Amino acid sequence: MTLDISSAPIASDTTDHAPPGPGARIRWAQDLSASLVVFLIAVPFSLGIALATGAPLTAGLAAAAVGGIAVGLFGGTTLMVSGPSAALTVITAGLITQYGWQATCAITLAAGLLQLLLGARRVARTALAVSPAIVHGMLAGVGLTIAIAQLHVVLGGSPQSSAIANLRALPAQLAGPHPSALLVGAVTVAVLLGWPRLGRLPGRAGRLGARAARVPGPLAAVALATSLALALDLRLAHIELPAWQPHSLAPALPHGPVLGLIAAVLTVTAVASVESLLSAVAIDRMSRRTGDLDRELRGQGLANLLSGLVGGLPIAGGAVRSTANVQAGAQSRWASVLHGVWVLAAALALTGGLRRIPLAALAALVLVVGLQMVSFAHIRNVHRHREFPVYLTTVIAVVAAGVLWGVAIGAGTAVLLALYRLTRARVDVETGPAGSVTVQTHGPLTFTAVPRLSRALAGIPAGAEVTVVHDGSFLDHAAYETLHTWRAGHQDAGGRVSLVTKRQDDEVLDPDGTVRAGSSPGPHRCRAWTPWVGHHCIDQQEDPHGRLLDGVRVFQLHTAPLIRPELARLAREGQTPSQLFLTCADSRMVTSMITNSGPGDLFTVRNVGNLVPAPFEPGAADDSVAAAVQYAVEVLEVRSITVCGHSGCGAMKALLDGVHEHPGPPTPLARWLRNGRGSLDRLRRAPAEFSTRAVVDPVEQLCITNVVQQLDQLMANPAVERRVEEGNLRLVGMYFDFATAQAYVLDRAAGTFSPIEARADGRARTGAGTGTGTGTGTGPGAGTGEASAERVIEDGLVPSGGGEEGPQLAA
């Protein structure tokens, strides 16, 4: 059994219905082995819980079988395994004592019906409101409780009724262990921990170990421990599968006060539902899947209904069994179903081989699983988010008082911690040169912080120049009035006060809530998307993949809610761009930025050097560009095609250096650059120029000449030529200079590039000519504007927003 749950496969419930094939066979093999592992855990668990409650021992097996099959088939959490609940042990024992066993079955049945109703009302999503610190604390608490109890069995004793009692009895148990049980338990633990590492052995032993490690560690550990016990003829306690005692399948109606019965049903429903939903959330996070909590609640309800009918214990999702299922490599819900089938077969057939397994071996297996539920990765994550007090409180409360009380106490601690942070604020006063004073506030300024704020402000000398800097957190009315009342009084006394609200850019947090490791002090630390000014990283060692994911998270948090309606419209109506924009793949070229366009405005094609392969050069042609042009012209029916070059183009530098003519077999880059040979020829014959300035160097001259050449090569496309001749398609040449952030548009008649100049009134014009043009837009960032210029360059139309008509910026 691997100790690293982070390697659990990323999948979704759709994998359950994948078509047959090699992958499907592998999943079935993994589900089969995982089901056997969970079966070995479920049998002693079920028998032990039944024994502790005073129910028939077969009731535990019946609940395990029903929970595995019913919830496995109809539940919403793919890898969770359900069965008799340790959290319900005390409650079930009390119900059996008060009402009898068959009446307890009726209460279980009623609880299942109530769970079905709650699942139909779709209330299960409220479980997601529980803090992850509480969920992980619950898992750790349950794991410690189980581990402490099973440690007694490994030492040759019997567990007590509660975790506290087990802790009290542990010193005496440690003082007098049973040598045979301790030996079998130690061998089991050693095999469990060492089995995954067999493949790391050197040489041939490592190859043999890797093959052996394909067998699940728990199976190997139990098999070896059982073989050792048989070989040494050790006198140990073994599994005792009782003979099936048929009793009335019809649950009897309980007798007693109605309110008491209602309270019993509500108690079983609440505990079983809370434990199941919290376990479902935890297992989904552990297996990196997304389940359906309402479906899970309905599946639990169906399982409790059936368990009550057949004489089984109350059922809930089990953290221990589910964790073992994930760690054993389960891939689909069939692992849980098969585990239920094996339990049912064992209960009916009374397999003799199971009776040979020492209880100490199974107890050691369960002990390791329980300890693995205390994840140090979770502890570090919780500590990083400053929620360790909630985690620790939940763990202690679960161990001391059970799952329900533990979760309730953990939730109460989380609420108190949130209230404490909400009311906590710090006010720092710093005196600068010439007697100036800076007041820095940190945290939400609420009425509880008013006394602290008032004391700080009262200590400022009269007449001083003061800057109050609020960090952007919450500011309630009481704090607002305090600040402005003091400000008015200070100004009346001859002082000056500036109130500033700002974000704390000096400590940029990533989505995990931590300052990036290794970041240097200063205002420009690495972050996913900063304003364009100062967008760079001082820390060159930062993980670029992490930055990309951070950017996606920021988009989902801030931008997606704003743009979602427009994207939903585009998803319904499809894309209807009015323009094809063909530009370079250079990372500095942000087309949406320089064209002020939004989703759906541009059909964009990017390649190295913004080249359009000519059809008369088949040896160097690339059909992908021609296909995109044909699709844009014939299917999307765009009304303009813009070819945009840029300064400092690496492809143009390579062309001037003759990379495409190097001897030897050409590289893919060299073959692609051969599409630019026409631009080199044009550079020698008729180089392009700017209308208002000279070119900087030969590379820039080739960049703008290449734009002109690519427009000519576009005309070699029959679809483009036809549309241009019909007068409903325009070809536009553009050039963008990074150093000056200046865009230029080609005047086809003059053969020169003229700058597009922004005016203070929002209009745009080029550097020469006369004319007028208008443009409107309805998409993101679109507006309505009127461009007045000395001349509108007919071919120089680029987008200025969204909308079906493709709003245009007149050049």
Side-chain angles (χ1 to χ4, degrees):
M1 177 184 299
T2 177
L3 291 175
D4 185 10
I5 62 174
S6 63
S7 60
I10 301 176
S12 66
D13 202 22
T14 56
T15 58
D16 297 352
H17 311 290
R25 287 195 295 271
I26 292 174
R27 285 193 295 272
W28 271 105
Q30 291 174 321
D31 287 339
L32 179 62
S33 64
S35 70
L36 293 173
V37 171
V38 180
F39 160 68
L40 290 173
I41 295 175
V43 168
F45 263 34
S46 304
L47 295 175
I49 292 174
L51 183 64
T53 59
L57 292 181
T58 50
L61 296 177
V66 171
I69 297 173
V71 182
L73 289 174
F74 302 105
T77 304
T78 308
L79 300 185
M80 192 162 78
V81 181
S82 300
S85 168
L88 287 165
T89 300
V90 176
I91 297 173
T92 306
L95 294 177
I96 293 174
T97 301
Q98 184 173 358
Y99 299 108
W101 167 241
Q102 289 184 314
T104 302
C105 290
I107 293 174
T108 302
L109 187 153
L113 289 174
L114 184 55
Q115 284 180 308
L116 284 171
L117 177 62
L118 293 174
R121 297 294 297 174
R122 306 185 67 84
V123 301
R125 302 294 298 180
T126 55
L128 295 178
V130 179
S131 168
I134 297 175
V135 176
H136 297 319
M138 180 205 72
L139 288 177
V142 171
L144 287 176
T145 301
I146 298 300
I148 294 169
Q150 298 307 308
L151 181 58
H152 284 273
V153 181
V154 172
L155 295 173
S158 300
Q160 305 298 314
S161 59
S162 68
I164 299 301
N166 282 320
L167 286 172
R168 290 174 179 171
L170 191 57
Q173 190 70 64
L174 289 171
H178 190 286
S180 298
L182 185 59
L183 173 64
V184 170
V187 169
T188 305
V189 172
V191 174
L192 282 172
L193 298 180
W195 197 257
R197 295 172 171 80
L198 292 178
R200 303 177 188 176
L201 296 175
R204 184 179 180 184
R207 292 191 294 271
L208 295 176
R211 295 177 183 175
R214 296 176 183 175
V215 178
L219 289 180
V222 172
L224 290 176
T226 302
S227 301
L228 177 65
L230 292 175
L232 299 180
D233 193 22
L234 300 178
R235 300 178 62 86
L236 294 168
H238 294 79
I239 288 181
E240 295 182 4
L241 286 178
W244 187 269
Q245 298 293 333
H247 51 277
S248 176
L249 295 181
L253 292 176
H255 299 284
V258 175
L259 292 179
L261 294 175
I262 293 176
V265 173
L266 291 177
T267 301
V268 173
T269 302
V271 176
S273 300
V274 168
E275 183 180 10
S276 299
L277 293 176
L278 291 182
S279 297
V281 172
I283 296 305
D284 277 339
R285 289 172 178 167
M286 183 184 301
S287 60
R288 304 179 189 177
R289 303 184 181 217
T290 301
D292 186 338
L293 294 182
D294 294 303
R295 179 180 173 184
E296 181 62 35
L297 188 55
R298 293 193 295 271
Q300 296 291 336
L302 177 62
N304 274 310
L305 188 153
L306 295 176
S307 183
L309 285 175
V310 302
L313 291 170
I315 291 172
V320 174
R321 292 179 291 258
S322 303
T323 302
N325 192 40
V326 172
Q327 294 180 343
Q331 296 294 302
S332 72
R333 62 180 68 250
W334 291 106
S336 174
V337 175
L338 288 174
H339 129 271
V341 172
W342 307 145
V343 173
L344 181 62
L348 295 176
L350 302 178
T351 305
L354 291 177
R355 295 179 175 177
R356 298 181 179 272
I357 299 177
L359 281 180
L362 289 179
L365 187 152
V366 177
L367 184 149
V368 172
V369 172
L371 291 178
Q372 287 176 341
M373 293 171 67
V374 185
S375 170
F376 288 101
H378 290 160
I379 294 175
R380 286 193 297 269
N381 193 36
V382 167
H383 185 270
R384 192 168 60 214
H385 287 276
R386 299 186 302 164
E387 291 192 341
F388 184 73
V390 177
Y391 176 89
L392 183 61
T393 301
T394 305
V395 172
I396 296 174
V398 168
V399 172
V403 173
L404 188 61
W405 278 106
V407 170
I409 294 173
T413 304
V415 171
L416 292 176
L417 186 62
L419 290 176
Y420 169 73
R421 289 172 178 168
L422 183 63
T423 58
R424 185 187 181 192
R426 192 174 81 250
V427 181
D428 297 329
V429 179
E430 299 178 359
T431 302
S436 63
V437 178
T438 300
V439 180
Q440 293 269 4
T441 67
H442 307 276
L445 289 180
T446 63
F447 63 94
T448 60
V450 167
R452 187 180 302 110
L453 178 63
S454 297
R455 284 195 299 270
L457 296 177
I460 298 175
E465 182 176 346
V466 183
T467 301
V468 180
V469 183
H470 183 43
D471 65 4
S473 300
F474 178 72
L475 180 72
D476 75 352
H477 185 69
Y480 175 86
E481 288 290 342
T482 300
L483 274 174
H484 283 269
T485 301
W486 172 84
R487 179 188 186 185
H490 191 77
Q491 289 176 336
D492 290 342
R496 296 178 58 187
V497 180
S498 298
L499 299 180
V500 180
T501 301
K502 72 170 188 177
R503 295 181 179 272
Q504 290 178 308
D505 288 331
D506 289 344
E507 289 187 0
V508 178
L509 301 182
D510 66 13
D512 291 332
T514 58
V515 178
R516 294 188 183 280
S519 56
S520 302
H524 300 306
R525 292 185 179 181
C526 295
R527 56 189 303 187
W529 282 100
T530 59
W532 294 108
V533 178
H535 178 63
H536 64 278
C537 283
I538 294 175
D539 182 6
Q540 300 297 330
Q541 303 300 320
E542 183 185 16
D543 177 17
H545 178 65
R547 277 193 65 200
L548 179 65
L549 293 183
D550 288 353
V552 175
R553 294 187 185 102
V554 173
F555 166 82
Q556 293 296 148
L557 180 64
H558 298 293
T559 309
L562 302 177
I563 201 172
R564 188 171 288 118
E566 176 66 12
L567 292 181
R569 181 188 68 80
L570 292 172
R572 293 191 306 269
E573 300 174 3
Q575 61 167 332
T576 56
S578 62
Q579 309 190 39
L580 167 62
F581 198 86
L582 197 153
T583 188
C584 186
D586 192 292
S587 63
R588 298 166 295 178
M589 277 295 295
V590 184
T591 58
S592 60
M593 178 183 69
I594 67 173
T595 63
N596 194 29
S597 57
D601 292 342
L602 300 180
F603 186 74
T604 306
V605 176
R606 305 185 67 154
N607 62 54
V608 176
N610 47 273
L611 300 175
V612 180
F616 48 80
E617 293 183 19
D622 184 319
D623 286 339
S624 65
V625 177
V629 172
Q630 181 181 0
Y631 183 83
V633 172
E634 296 184 348
V635 179
L636 300 177
E637 297 183 343
V638 297
R639 294 190 298 280
S640 73
I641 301 178
T642 300
V643 177
C644 183
H646 65 88
S647 61
C649 181
M652 299 301 104
K653 293 178 182 177
L655 278 172
L656 287 175
D657 293 338
V659 170
H660 60 292
E661 296 176 345
H662 285 177
T667 64
L669 178 60
R671 286 197 299 271
W672 173 252
L673 288 178
R674 289 175 180 176
N675 294 301
R677 288 178 294 190
S679 300
L680 288 175
D681 292 339
R682 181 181 287 269
L683 180 66
R684 288 188 288 268
R685 293 183 290 103
E689 302 286 350
F690 292 102
S691 63
T692 58
R693 68 174 178 88
V695 295
V696 175
D697 54 29
V699 173
E700 184 174 63
Q701 191 148 48
L702 180 57
C703 288
I704 58 177
T705 303
N706 178 63
V707 171
V708 180
Q709 177 65 24
Q710 301 313 311
L711 291 175
D712 286 350
Q713 293 183 186
L714 267 174
M715 285 295 292
N717 186 300
V720 174
E721 183 181 17
R722 185 184 68 255
R723 290 279 308 280
V724 170
E725 291 176 352
E726 293 172 353
N728 52 24
L729 179 64
R730 295 176 178 177
L731 301 186
V732 182
M734 282 188 62
Y735 175 81
F736 188 78
D737 183 17
F738 290 129
T740 60
Q742 178 63 59
Y744 297 82
V745 176
L746 173 65
D747 183 344
R748 299 293 297 278
T752 59
F753 284 81
S754 301
I756 299 178
E757 298 177 5
R759 290 169 46 170
D761 58 4
R763 300 171 182 175
R765 65 182 177 88
T766 56
T770 61
T772 60
T774 61
T776 61
T778 58
T784 300
E786 182 178 25
S788 175
E790 297 175 340
R791 180 177 65 187
V792 175
I793 297 178
E794 290 294 322
D795 293 335
L797 301 179
V798 294
S800 178
E804 295 183 1
E805 294 303 316
Q808 300 169 341
L809 171 65

